[in-house]
Amino acid sequence: MEIEDHLFKKGESVSHLSCPKNTVKFAPGQPDTIIIHYTAGKSGESSAKYLCRKKVKASAHIVLDRSGHIYQLVPFDTVTWHAGKSSYEGRSGFNKFSIGIEIDNAGVLEKVGNKYKSWFGKTYPEEEVMQAVHRNESASRFWHTYTEVQIDKTIEMIEALMDRYPTITNILGHEEISKGRKQDPGPAFPLDKVRNGFLESREEELPMSDDYEGIVDVPRLNIREMPSGSADLAAAPLEGGTKLKVLQQHNGWLKVETKIEGWVAGQYVDIK
Ligand SMILES: [Zn+2]
């Protein structure tokens, strides 16, 4: 999946919607988290259009329908309103830290006779229902299942996002940042499995020890906010011979610490 101008490239499986109510850009270093949701709505298209309505005080970057079609509502450099009241590991208000992915799924279902009914009255066949205990609850309930293509597409989107935005280091469910208030994406979504897959592959890129050091091997070396040649400069260029502590590596770039932190092109650093 390609990201261009902070949008998944338009195509057969990606449409762009206009959602001009969201105008605030993320602060430097953000977003650092992807939040997974379910829509609890009738269809992906209807949820996407609803979230774009001017008067609706909610939005998201992405709505993924059950066939795997992606609706992008807002570019990834812009804050959306998907998290609401939220906190996790000492931080609150996750809209300003995160990309919101909404997946078309009815959520909790109630068994009525031999049918399973959503809060909005639509019924679902048994093949689309699973019984499971939510991570924040103790008794089992009925949940609308996700389609295979939805899970595959979510993984593809996360992969593309983490590649394009190296600031992203975590994937959380709405149920984890708004405990008690929210149940999405719920036990039908393999959140832990998806998250662990990405976090493990990310860790393999990290240096093995803390005292990984280097020296600037060219007369002057640009230090940037992000691991990209087009990213803003973080400070004046580093002088040749400057000692660096290497914190992280990504696609040939090194995150280093001197008096400040920033990213430098790895080939100009002599690693000890
Ligand atoms: Zn949610």
Side-chain angles (χ1 to χ4, degrees), residues 150-186:
Q150 281 183 312
I151 293 169
D152 291 346
K153 280 279 174 187
T154 304
I155 291 170
E156 268 181 58
M157 285 194 281
I158 294 173
E159 203 164 19
L161 285 165
M162 289 184 91
D163 210 39
R164 171 64 182 81
Y165 303 103
T167 49
I168 298 175
T169 54
N170 208 0
I171 302 153
L172 294 169
H174 202 186
E175 66 202 28
E176 295 173 294
I177 60 166
S178 301
K179 261 189 191 174
R181 188 174 73 85
K182 290 290 176 180
Q183 289 80 43
D184 57 317

Side-chain angles (χ1 to χ4, degrees), residues 171-235:
I171 302 153
L172 294 169
H174 202 186
E175 66 202 28
E176 295 173 294
I177 60 166
S178 301
K179 261 189 191 174
R181 188 174 73 85
K182 290 290 176 180
Q183 289 80 43
D184 57 317
F189 187 82
L191 182 59
D192 293 312
K193 205 175 146 205
V194 168
R195 170 169 46 215
N196 292 341
F198 279 104
L199 300 189
E200 275 164 22
S201 70
R202 169 68 50 117
E203 263 167 30
E204 281 164 17
E205 289 192 1
L206 295 176
M208 297 310 291
S209 71
D210 288 342
D211 48 5
Y212 197 67
E213 285 179 0
I215 283 184
V216 176
D217 204 21
V218 283
R220 285 157 67 80
L221 178 59
N222 284 326
I223 180 161
R224 300 183 182 276
E225 300 276 3
M226 305 265 276
S228 153
S230 58
D232 290 340
L233 295 172

Side-chain angles (χ1 to χ4, degrees), residues 133-152:
V133 182
H134 191 281
R135 70 172 79 229
N136 299 338
E137 299 169 0
S138 52
S140 70
R141 294 202 275 169
F142 298 106
W143 303 87
H144 190 200
T145 53
Y146 293 85
T147 64
E148 225 171 275
V149 65
Q150 281 183 312
I151 293 169
D152 291 346

Side-chain angles (χ1 to χ4, degrees), residues 37-38 82 102 174 182 184:
H37 303 261
Y38 60 52
H82 57 95
E102 293 274 356
H174 202 186
K182 290 290 176 180
D184 57 317

